[in-house]
Amino acid sequence: MIELEIVTPQRQLLKVPCQSVTLPGQMGEFEVLQ
């Protein structure tokens, strides 16, 4: 499992295990797989 963690300078917003994450990139979306 990948552990997805989203944080801001003030606090942690999310911390969850997942099998893949799709993110926006400069040339379109890309997906990170376990």
Side-chain angles (χ1 to χ4, degrees):
M1 286 277 166
I2 297 171
E3 189 169 88
L4 173 64
E5 189 172 353
I6 301 175
V7 296
T8 69
Q10 290 78 29
R11 66 185 177 101
Q12 179 176 307
L13 297 177
L14 178 71
K15 187 174 185 178
V16 294
C18 56
Q19 292 185 357
S20 67
V21 179
T22 303
L23 301 164
Q26 225 173 2
M27 298 175 65
E29 291 184 336
F30 67 97
E31 187 170 16
V32 179
L33 303 171
Q34 173 195 9

